[in-house]
Amino acid sequence: MERPLVVSALENQVKARPVPRHVGIIMDGNGRWAESRGLDRLEGHREGSSSVREVTRTARRVGIQALTLYAFSSQNWARPAEEVAGLMDLLRDYLERERAEILDNGIRLNAVGDVGRLPRFVREPLDRLIADSAHNTGMVLSLALSYGGREEILHAASRMAEAISRGELLAGRVEEADFESFLWTNGLPPLDLVVRTSGEQRVSNFLLWQMAYAELCFTDALWPDFRTDEFLRCVSQYQQRERRFGLTSAQVKREDTPQRAKA
Ligand code: FPP
């Protein structure tokens, strides 16, 4: 049975201020979590699925519009075959188990990445849940699957070149928004905050284009230990930052600075 939810003071404090619209998370440290307990690495990924559930619920409760989780990178295909197979099984289990909760809570599921590479037993429940949740407007949960930021940029560049060759776009007149429309993240709000767990401080090919003006939060917690309070602490840190987008602090504080530049 679910335990009744006790909303913490931290959560109330976070809810009282503007929350980031779009948060991306590099979920790292599952392997170390398991190995430090003498367990198989897959046990770490399994426990990490519980963090996925808890952080998604919390993000939804505090009013985040978009949450993007780095679940499997383009480079992760090169891990030992057993680990890749175990991760694919976990993804399928997650999509089956969380289906009702996603649909009942107004969450729209989305995937970013070269999802055509996923095995059919993952792609089918993924496509089904994406289609069945398409009308939901509460929060977009994007799973980055077979995802790499460089791969995304290359893919977008080649699709844009095709559009130019069809005469749909003028080569010398391409604007940022034109290019963004070819990215896998097209339609998602600008990325405001990126969290990385496990004490590593690098971006590992995650949302490279989108990260240009994102705030970063690095935490030592391993992903399976990263739950509601750790997530709220990152959001709270974000709320204390001044985002300047290349302007001066005085400009940002001025009432007449366009909202978009302040956002
Ligand atoms: C990185 O930890 C994590 C991954 C490569 C996979 C992330 C997968 C999950 C959290 C579970 C399944 C996902 C969903 C959406 C249900 P690592 O293995 O690199 O850890 P390490 O650096 O400690 O070895």
Side-chain angles (χ1 to χ4, degrees), residues 205-222:
N205 209 15
F206 184 53
L207 300 177
L208 297 180
W209 169 279
Q210 298 81 348
M211 206 174 299
Y213 281 100
E215 297 294 322
L216 307 178
C217 175
F218 296 108
T219 160
D220 285 338
L222 302 175

Side-chain angles (χ1 to χ4, degrees), residues 215 253 255 257:
E215 297 294 322
K253 288 191 178 88
E255 288 299 312
T257 302

Side-chain angles (χ1 to χ4, degrees), residues 26-35 41-42 44-53 69-73 76 79 83 86-87 90-95 97-98 141 143-145 196-198 200 202 222-224:
I26 303 174
M27 310 183 288
D28 195 14
N30 294 348
R32 275 164 283 166
W33 183 92
E35 282 158 6
R41 291 176 57 82
L42 268 176
H45 296 313
R46 192 162 293 127
E47 192 62 24
S49 298
S50 301
S51 298
V52 167
R53 181 182 322 120
L69 302 176
Y70 204 6
F72 192 84
S73 74
N76 288 154
R79 288 198 174 193
E83 184 167 340
L87 276 165
L90 262 183
L91 279 168
R92 180 211 41 218
D93 294 349
Y94 167 83
L95 291 164
R97 204 185 44 237
E98 300 302 310
L141 170 63
L143 300 180
L145 294 168
R196 183 175 187 140
T197 59
S198 91
E200 311 289 353
R202 51 178 176 263
L222 302 175
W223 177 251

